Amino acid sequence: MAEIIADEGLDYIIGLLLKNSPATPPATLYVGLFTGGTATTVPTNAATLAAMTGTFVEAAFAGYARQPIAAANWAALSVQSGGRGSVGPQVTFTATGSSATAINGYFLCTVASGTAGVTLGWANFTEGAVASLAVNDAIKVTPTFALTG
């Protein structure tokens, strides 16, 4: 499994903590899905919603929409893979149509749709890629966000 915190995500976190910019943390973050690459690759740290790098794009199957997680719904901070972080509640993406495009992972961002928001990070699924979707198939994601030292 690969995972990376995006440069713009680092800038956002540092700006929020040290510069009070933005002045208010987001009330909601959003989980999205990406395709492209392999089951063990993610976009580079320079990738953004507006410019995913290489062959990576946001998933686009019938019924797809980014899933919200309110700030209050993240778990208490705890030890996460050699660092500190939090686990979000499980979110579900349900296909209303079939898709033959492999879905390789998820991302965490600050907007419900579009490309104007900030991508905090990218991660592959721990169980491997979802090769295809049939009608009513569901992808369940339990996001974790952690910083390691």
Side-chain angles (χ1 to χ4, degrees):
M1 180 174 117
E3 51 198 30
I4 193 165
I5 295 179
D7 287 347
E8 70 175 359
L10 288 172
D11 291 348
Y12 187 83
I13 293 165
I14 292 167
L16 184 64
L17 294 174
L18 303 179
K19 305 289 259 166
N20 201 31
S21 175
T24 306
T28 303
L29 293 175
Y30 298 86
V31 180
L33 303 175
F34 69 85
T35 66
T38 69
T40 58
T41 58
V42 294
T44 71
N45 58 308
T48 65
L49 291 173
M52 289 190 192
T53 59
T55 60
F56 296 97
V57 296
E58 185 166 5
F61 55 86
Y64 171 78
R66 293 179 195 159
Q67 298 299 303
I69 299 178
N73 292 334
W74 286 84
L77 295 176
S78 63
V79 174
Q80 300 287 330
S81 302
R84 301 289 293 171
S86 180
V87 177
Q90 186 176 76
V91 296
T92 302
F93 299 86
T94 303
T96 59
S98 61
S99 174
T101 303
I103 300 172
N104 291 324
Y106 71 93
F107 60 91
L108 193 61
C109 69
T110 60
V111 292
S113 63
T115 60
V118 174
T119 306
L120 297 173
W122 312 90
N124 293 116
F125 300 132
T126 55
E127 299 84 16
V130 175
S132 63
L133 294 170
V135 176
N136 295 325
D137 278 354
I139 298 173
K140 296 183 179 201
V141 176
T142 305
T144 300
F145 191 86
L147 300 174
T148 59

